[in-house]
Amino acid sequence: MFKYNVRGENIEVTAAIREYVEKKVGKLERYFSDVPDATAHVNLKVYSDKTAKVEVTVPLPYLVLRAEETSPDLYASVDLVVDKLERQMRKYKTKINRKSREKGFDFVVPNAAELDVATGELDIVRTKRVSLKPMDSEEAVLQMDMLGHNFFIFEDAETNGISIVYRRTDGKYGLIETN
């Protein structure tokens, strides 16, 4: 059974909202033969234009389910996000089941995450080696844009640590720093 962490920004999370979220997100549990001990993190945001954004993240041992949706209605956003997460799970389980059949197994896997661990396979189709040049984050963003990539790995000139800049869906940039 999932545990739920439901947070609201610019909205009070009422008992009715919490119950609706738990009921809808709880549908995902049917994709597992034994429900993992996981916490579903749900963020509800209401903006000044009255649109509602729902973000759901469920970190599992070998898979992170994550989706977000925005619509004029909070409950509709919850429905849309759960539909998206269900599509992710079906796609993931189909992929795992197809791989198991290719390897000579003839069974449907009740828990996709378990088979992923058993096979230990990933779909890495290309490997690339890069030399990291010391630079600051602004230069890294310029390099990323020049290359037309969505992310760029670099050595931070100040900390000598490895960092990553990336383009966010809102068009702005993010920075990931390592310890």
Side-chain angles (χ1 to χ4, degrees):
M1 180 113 184
F2 289 156
K3 297 179 199 124
Y4 295 90
N5 176 10
V6 182
R7 291 184 33 230
E9 292 180 32
N10 300 328
I11 184 174
E12 179 186 344
V13 180
T14 64
I17 292 173
R18 177 178 293 281
E19 185 177 307
Y20 189 80
V21 165
E22 290 180 6
K23 176 184 172 193
K24 291 296 185 171
V25 175
K27 285 179 162 185
L28 299 173
E29 293 178 9
R30 72 175 181 233
Y31 289 96
F32 301 95
S33 57
D34 54 342
V35 180
D37 185 24
T39 301
H41 302 279
V42 182
N43 291 331
L44 311 171
K45 298 178 186 176
V46 176
Y47 297 108
S48 56
D49 64 357
K50 303 298 183 206
T51 58
K53 180 177 183 180
V54 176
E55 301 172 351
V56 177
T57 306
V58 184
L60 299 168
Y62 305 101
L63 171 73
V64 175
L65 296 175
R66 186 181 187 297
E68 60 183 60
E69 281 293 335
T70 304
S71 77
D73 177 30
L74 177 69
Y75 291 95
S77 292
V78 171
D79 292 343
L80 291 169
V81 130
V82 169
D83 289 347
K84 190 180 271 189
L85 289 168
E86 284 187 303
R87 282 193 304 275
Q88 286 178 15
M89 281 303 300
R90 281 195 301 272
K91 181 178 176 182
Y92 182 73
K93 289 190 85 161
T94 299
K95 182 178 176 181
I96 294 300
N97 286 333
R98 187 179 312 117
K99 284 187 178 218
S100 68
R101 282 191 299 278
E102 287 171 5
K103 293 213 174 271
F105 301 113
D106 191 21
F107 62 95
V108 176
V109 179
N111 186 340
E114 288 177 6
L115 182 63
D116 193 34
V117 174
T119 63
E121 283 197 36
L122 298 172
D123 279 340
I124 297 175
V125 295
R126 181 178 177 196
T127 300
K128 187 173 184 177
R129 295 199 180 277
V130 294
S131 298
L132 301 181
K133 175 185 164 200
M135 63 180 77
D136 62 20
S137 58
E138 290 176 7
E139 184 181 349
V141 168
L142 292 173
Q143 289 285 329
M144 176 182 69
D145 287 342
M146 211 168 31
L147 292 168
H149 291 173
N150 292 323
F151 70 93
F152 188 80
I153 303 168
F154 66 101
E155 181 181 337
D156 190 304
E158 280 185 35
T159 65
N160 294 330
I162 306 301
S163 296
I164 303 168
V165 289
Y166 62 95
R167 185 173 296 107
R168 296 166 37 100
T169 54
D170 62 7
K172 297 179 181 174
Y173 299 99
L175 173 67
I176 300 172
E177 298 175 322
T178 60
N179 292 333

